[in-house]
Amino acid sequence: MNIPSIEQRYAFEVFPKRDLTIVSGHGATLYDESGRAYIDCVAGVGVASVGHANPEVARAIGEQARTLVTCPGIFYNDVRARLLEKLVSITPPDVSRAFLCNSGTEANEAAIKLAMHATGRRGFVCAMRGFHGRTMGALSATHKHRDAFEPLLDGFSFVPFNNVEKLRAAVGDGTAAVIVEIVQGEGGVRLGDAAFFAAARELCDAHGALLIVDEVQTGFCRTGKFFASEHHGVRPDVLCLAKAMAGGVPMGAVLVGEKVPARIGMHGSTFGGNPLACAASLATIEVMERDGLAGQAQAKGARFAAAFGRRKSPKVREVRRLGLMIGIELKEKARPYIEALMARGVLALPAGPTVIRLLPPLVIEDEALDEVAARLHEVLGR
Ligand SMILES: *Cc1c(COP(=O)(O)O)cnc(C)c1O
């Protein structure tokens, strides 16, 4: 069976494909159909933080699949109740309720609707290079990928990330919310400043707007804290989560504080909060807490930075990193180097044209991480 030719024939193809067929995984290792192993620094784009085929998550999914897979929001459910309680206990202090959905873009979509409903306003201030998803609302808040789909929603404006003056000029009494990432992932692994987030908080308070923090990529231990907001003491009114939250099972969540009122019928989701995803998420969070994955991300990120930084390459412009969210900005296009890494058994991501992005499972072994640094030296040294 020629798998690529079948996908090429039948998929509505929107992804820039690589010539690799992945069939299984274990921890931070992926295997192709011939059994060749790869060190995975893609992790399903920051999803597989607890590792591929994690045994606790697999057990939870299996048990829940035999118990109850689907249960709409019109009924109460034991697993969902446990997850909601858990989520509110681990997230930053001002959010106290969660709406469960199935992806990052849905979390942002809900956040936009909730902010409109709470404030009666339609203005949103977003960051250039920000990424919030591909559906029409989340895309309206996203600075790229819009061209063929304009006009999108009215009222969305963009300021340069970390530019407090421009932010101050943009936020006003028509602003429903400011939407930011703590570290811009798709936008090139760009770290936000504490001063920018403090200004956003202050401006939102002064103008009666909400602060929406999109932690879809940075949440769940990726950056060395359970949530990246903790690095800067950011207190979101609305917090968007997804990617790593259910160990690879599709799931998203938007958490809100008391400033954001709910009304029966204002939003919904058929699959949102289904017991299967809730069980996977509970098991995932349990592993993260038990194994201290935030601390592991911090230590391993530092180890990688030391190993990679030992040898300077004239091709590298800058290394940006928070925990195990790593961006290596080159002075030239990243794609050929990402392909060269794949040929040497390391899978990496781009983040814009010139950035190599590494998002390994947080359970990656030190030796594998050292190997990644060595292979990077190899390809960048040429
Ligand atoms: C990936 C991502 C999204 C979109 O998530 P999907 O599950 O692909 O819809 C939104 N925001 C951020 C910050 C992301 O990294």
Side-chain angles (χ1 to χ4, degrees):
M1 182 172 60
N2 187 326
I3 295 164
S5 75
I6 298 172
E7 286 208 30
Q8 283 159 18
R9 171 71 184 78
Y10 294 110
F12 180 76
E13 195 54 89
V14 296
F15 297 101
K17 275 286 210 281
R18 307 201 197 163
D19 187 18
L20 177 63
T21 301
I22 301 290
V23 296
S24 69
H26 178 78
T29 308
L30 287 173
Y31 299 91
D32 70 10
E33 81 272 61
S34 72
R36 181 175 177 195
Y38 292 83
I39 301 174
D40 182 19
C41 294
V42 173
V45 192
V47 169
S49 289
V50 296
H52 296 286
N54 179 286
E56 279 90 357
V57 176
R59 188 177 320 119
I61 292 172
E63 279 172 15
Q64 192 60 43
R66 287 186 291 272
T67 307
L68 186 68
V69 169
T70 192
C71 175
I74 57 172
F75 301 115
Y76 298 106
N77 173 260
D78 55 341
V79 197
R80 186 195 298 136
R82 280 167 51 215
L83 177 64
L84 288 167
E85 188 173 41
K86 187 75 196 175
L87 279 177
V88 170
S89 80
I90 61 175
T91 42
D94 297 337
V95 295
S96 52
R97 289 172 187 276
F99 175 83
L100 300 173
C101 54
N102 314 286
S103 67
T105 202
E106 275 179 74
N108 280 281
E109 210 66 35
I112 290 165
K113 281 179 71 179
L114 271 45
M116 286 180 176
H117 178 259
T119 61
R121 304 171 182 176
R122 311 276 295 189
F124 289 83
V125 179
C126 316
M128 290 173 183
R129 291 200 169 105
F131 181 86
H132 303 289
R134 305 281 195 155
T135 53
M136 296 309 265
L139 187 59
S140 300
T142 293
H143 199 232
K144 268 176 54 184
H145 313 293
R146 322 164 49 97
D147 344 343
F149 307 104
E150 313 245 41
L152 292 164
L153 286 178
D154 274 338
F156 284 71
S157 61
F158 294 87
V159 300
F161 195 41
N162 287 336
N163 188 323
V164 172
E165 284 323 299
K166 291 273 166 57
L167 183 68
R168 202 173 292 286
V171 178
D173 293 343
T175 305
V178 172
I179 309 182
V180 287
E181 294 158 89
I182 302 295
V183 179
Q184 293 186 325
E186 305 305 307
V189 189
R190 292 170 201 278
L191 279 61
D193 294 342
F196 183 68
F197 299 124
R201 180 68 275 168
E202 178 203 311
L203 287 164
C204 286
D205 288 340
H207 292 281
L210 299 173
L211 179 58
I212 300 176
V213 175
D214 181 349
E215 288 226 38
V216 166
Q217 192 161 150
T218 54
F220 293 98
C221 304
R222 169 61 54 193
T223 68
K225 302 271 187 197
F226 223 102
F227 296 97
S229 293
E230 296 166 30
H231 288 288
H232 308 297
V234 183
R235 299 179 75 126
D237 300 306
V238 181
L239 177 67
C240 297
L241 304 175
K243 288 200 163 92
M245 82 174 286
V249 173
M251 187 173 218
V254 54
L255 283 98
V256 301
E258 296 305 324
K259 286 185 212 166
V260 181
R263 180 168 51 76
I264 304 299
M266 70 179 282
H267 197 53
S269 166
T270 299
F271 290 128
N274 70 81
L276 189 75
C278 289
S281 185
L282 273 169
T284 299
I285 295 168
E286 213 162 273
V287 170
M288 287 174 169
E289 289 182 324
R290 184 197 65 195
D291 296 347
L293 287 195
Q296 287 201 40
Q298 211 159 55
K300 289 171 185 175
R303 181 187 178 102
F304 172 84
F308 181 68
R310 259 196 294 283
R311 263 175 61 188
K312 298 268 177 275
S313 162
K315 290 175 179 154
V316 175
R317 187 183 301 283
E318 186 180 39
V319 179
R320 295 186 290 267
R321 182 186 71 80
L322 196 60
L324 272 177
M325 188 166 180
I326 301 164
I328 300 165
E329 175 152 7
L330 306 183
K331 295 172 185 164
E332 51 193 284
K333 294 251 183 291
R335 193 151 289 273
Y337 296 98
I338 291 171
E339 269 159 29
L341 283 169
M342 187 167 106
R344 286 167 173 74
V346 173
L347 304 180
L349 279 166
T354 58
V355 177
I356 301 174
R357 178 172 40 153
L358 306 175
L359 298 173
L362 308 181
V363 298
I364 189 170
E365 312 258 326
D366 284 344
E367 300 69 46
L369 214 46
D370 294 347
E371 167 96 11
V372 172
R375 296 289 87 84
L376 274 162
H377 287 149
E378 223 172 271
V379 304
L380 292 170
R382 287 179 308 161

